[in-house]
Amino acid sequence: MSIDWPALRAAATECARRAYAPYSGLRVGAAGQTSDGRIIVGCNVENASFGLTLCAECGLVSALHATEPPENGTALQAVAVVAGDGEPLLPCGRCRQLLLEAGGGNLLVDTADGPVELKVLLPAAFTTADLSERRERGAL
């Protein structure tokens, strides 16, 4: 399946307009394309207690799980994250980890220089394999 990067950026930019960012003023939107071709979006939601702020990617992953995926499972294939002006932003470390579980290391992330695989942006990631390995050794 081909990725329509301009459409993803446009969807992310539109979603950024709905962001709740009264403290930083930085509106962020994220749009992802699933393996079955759907476009899922999310925006940042700030909170007076800054640690409770939700990144746009958090909203995107939540929306992905809130929809009814096909029985064969759905994964994100591509993600564009933009500021309110439509310019690309890279996901923070926390969001890279969230995106890893939603799309895997081959998930394409839009950057100013073009798409990059998530495994390049998050090398030596903590995965479910790390948990399984420790369970088997009784280290949990």
Side-chain angles (χ1 to χ4, degrees):
M1 176 179 309
S2 66
I3 309 297
D4 185 349
W5 290 105
L8 277 179
R9 284 185 218 108
T13 302
E14 176 60 31
C15 196
R17 291 187 185 110
R18 296 187 297 273
Y20 179 70
Y23 307 104
S24 73
L26 178 62
R27 296 174 177 275
V28 180
Q33 181 175 320
T34 63
S35 53
D36 63 357
R38 290 179 293 139
I39 302 290
I40 308 286
V41 296
C43 62
N44 62 318
V45 177
E46 294 181 347
N47 187 283
S49 174
F50 294 125
L52 298 178
T53 293
L54 297 175
C55 298
E57 299 89 335
C58 293
L60 172 92
V61 172
S62 180
L64 174 69
H65 288 286
T67 61
E68 293 187 39
E71 290 185 21
N72 63 355
T74 300
L76 289 175
Q77 286 190 317
V79 172
V81 180
V82 302
D85 62 4
E87 292 298 313
L89 292 173
L90 283 174
C92 69
R94 171 184 173 219
C95 290
R96 291 177 194 195
Q97 183 69 38
L98 284 169
L99 291 170
L100 179 70
E101 291 209 20
N106 294 326
L107 172 69
L108 294 173
V109 178
D110 191 27
T111 74
D113 296 324
V116 174
E117 289 183 326
L118 183 57
K119 63 187 169 192
V120 173
L121 299 174
L122 188 63
F126 184 82
T127 68
T128 56
D130 293 298
L131 292 172
S132 298
E133 194 176 293
R134 280 156 181 79
R135 251 187 228 109
E136 290 172 12
R137 291 191 322 224
L140 285 181

